[in-house]
Amino acid sequence: VAMLSFHHAQGDLNCVALSDDASLLAAGLGDSSLRLWNLQNENMWEGKQPGAAVAGKVFHNLVGHTGPVYGASFSPCGRYLL
């Protein structure tokens, strides 16, 4: 079990989605962006105790939405983020 905290989200955190294989995490934010993290980055978890803060780097920052992002989900095949 992993607990993640979103620090410095630059706006409201509106939604999160976890891919079926738990390798990717997407977050929709109030600043009209959708951020994607690769949770398979071993350096991200190295030496962390359960419940400890994890400082992961954003894998992709998808910008250009016309307003806040209120929904995100991965397709069943895992290839698409909707």
Side-chain angles (χ1 to χ4, degrees), residues 10-27:
Q10 309 300 328
D12 297 329
L13 176 64
N14 296 326
C15 63
V16 294
L18 184 65
S19 63
D20 285 342
D21 64 358
S23 65
L24 297 172
L25 179 81

Side-chain angles (χ1 to χ4, degrees), residues 53-78:
V54 176
K57 290 187 177 180
V58 175
F59 184 54
H60 286 291
N61 190 20
L62 307 172
V63 297
H65 300 89
T66 58
V69 178
Y70 292 109
S73 64
F74 288 91
S75 65
C77 69

Side-chain angles (χ1 to χ4, degrees), residues 22-50:
S23 65
L24 297 172
L25 179 81
L29 301 164
D31 67 356
S32 303
S33 69
L34 190 109
R35 295 186 188 163
L36 188 63
W37 285 267
N38 178 357
L39 300 181
Q40 297 299 320
N41 180 355
E42 293 177 13
N43 293 332
M44 183 174 171
W45 303 105
E46 189 174 302
K48 298 293 181 184
Q49 297 296 320

